[in-house]
Amino acid sequence: MNLTFFRRISILLLLCLSFFRVGAQEYLYEIGGMLGGAFYMGDANKNAAFKNMNPAASLLFRYNLNFRVAFKANLAWARVTGSTEGLDNVFPNRAQVDFNRNVIDLGGQAEFNFFPYSDKYQYLQTKRIAPYIMGGLGLSFAPGGGATFFSPHISAGTGVKYKIKNRINIGAELSMRKLFGDGLDINGENELLNDPYGMGGGIWKNKDWYSMLMISVSYDFGLRNCNCNKKDMNEIY
């Protein structure tokens, strides 16, 4: 046994001790909230993103599978509005209609971080800031207005998260919801928005969308149990 051997053993022990220490500080879960705005796209707004932005808020729960992959659940409220005034597309008889709805959004998404996300484990090339993409499924419910609306949706989006200190995360996210219905903009007084051009629809065609641009704050909890071995290191990474 020579000096090089002892150096290697010392480095390995230091890594193991460091891993155990920071591993005890890593957390499996996050809980928090989001605030921002929502906008609608459909028959009363074909292609103007961010038009008629209205308030939106959400509770979030996130399970961090590892530094790259997380699963998020949300319960959100959003106000969406739309109007045909000023549209390039002219409705039959030059009719003008508008609507406003409150939407309850329950969903789940999978997130993929482009960088390993942590403010520790620097030897694993982790970053305290990470852009990500997300996709998932959910349910949208818009009560009242003379025509209650309910539909499943597909969600997709992108965002960035930043760990400002141990256990505290902030983030920004833009997400879109593709509905499987065309009745979000129908409130009982504007039936013209139900297929105004008589073109019919399908699973993907002539359906409503809404999107949310949100700022989030979340808090880490639930200690991750791990030991100093390669298997646990790979699972977290």
Side-chain angles (χ1 to χ4, degrees):
M1 292 184 293
N2 54 32
L3 184 60
T4 300
F5 173 80
F6 281 107
R7 285 177 176 171
R8 289 175 178 174
I9 292 297
S10 298
I11 291 172
L12 180 60
L13 287 173
L14 286 173
L15 288 175
C16 288
L17 289 172
S18 175
F19 180 80
F20 179 81
R21 178 178 63 83
V22 301
Q25 296 174 2
E26 284 297 300
Y27 300 90
L28 284 168
Y29 311 110
E30 296 174 37
I31 190 167
M34 308 176 81
L35 288 174
F39 64 93
Y40 144 95
M41 297 187 74
D43 290 318
N45 179 24
K46 286 294 187 183
N47 50 27
F50 304 104
K51 182 180 179 182
N52 296 323
M53 286 281 286
N54 289 276
S58 178
L59 299 174
L60 73 86
F61 174 84
R62 185 179 278 124
Y63 167 63
N64 296 300
L65 180 64
N66 53 45
F67 290 152
R68 293 276 191 173
V69 178
F71 299 98
K72 182 178 70 183
N74 72 266
L75 176 61
W77 163 85
R79 182 76 168 175
V80 295
T81 63
S83 173
T84 59
E85 185 177 356
L87 289 183
D88 293 333
N89 294 327
V90 178
F91 274 34
N93 301 318
R94 297 188 177 274
Q96 298 290 331
V97 292
D98 56 39
F99 81 97
N100 57 82
R101 301 294 291 268
N102 291 307
V103 180
I104 305 300
D105 180 302
L106 176 64
Q109 303 92 36
E111 298 176 347
F112 175 77
N113 302 323
F114 287 102
F115 305 136
Y117 181 59
S118 176
D119 61 341
K120 307 176 183 68
Y121 297 92
Q122 285 81 4
Y123 57 88
L124 293 177
Q125 305 300 311
T126 57
K127 308 291 185 184
R128 65 192 308 149
I129 185 170
Y132 64 91
I133 55 175
M134 51 155 280
L137 300 170
L139 299 171
S140 299
F141 173 65
T148 296
F149 174 78
F150 179 84
S151 173
H153 68 246
I154 295 175
S155 59
T158 185
V160 62
K161 57 185 74 169
Y162 177 66
K163 192 174 290 289
I164 59 174
K165 60 182 297 185
N166 185 40
R167 304 180 75 166
I168 304 296
N169 310 273
I170 60 174
E173 179 181 283
L174 174 63
S175 61
M176 296 160 283
R177 267 67 169 172
K178 170 65 172 177
L179 299 168
F180 287 89
D182 189 36
L184 179 62
D185 45 17
I186 307 298
N187 60 13
E189 300 177 358
N190 54 0
E191 294 295 333
L192 181 62
L193 290 175
N194 185 13
D195 194 15
Y197 302 104
M199 298 176 62
I203 294 178
W204 301 104
K205 180 183 176 182
N206 198 27
K207 305 301 181 186
D208 294 328
W209 298 67
Y210 64 94
S211 301
M212 293 185 285
L213 179 62
M214 308 285 270
I215 302 296
S216 66
V217 178
S218 63
Y219 177 79
D220 298 341
F221 70 100
L223 288 173
R224 182 190 299 276
N225 295 320
C226 62
N227 299 313
C228 178
N229 59 59
K230 184 177 180 180
K231 178 178 182 295
D232 285 334
M233 184 180 295
N234 289 336
E235 287 178 351
I236 293 176
Y237 187 74

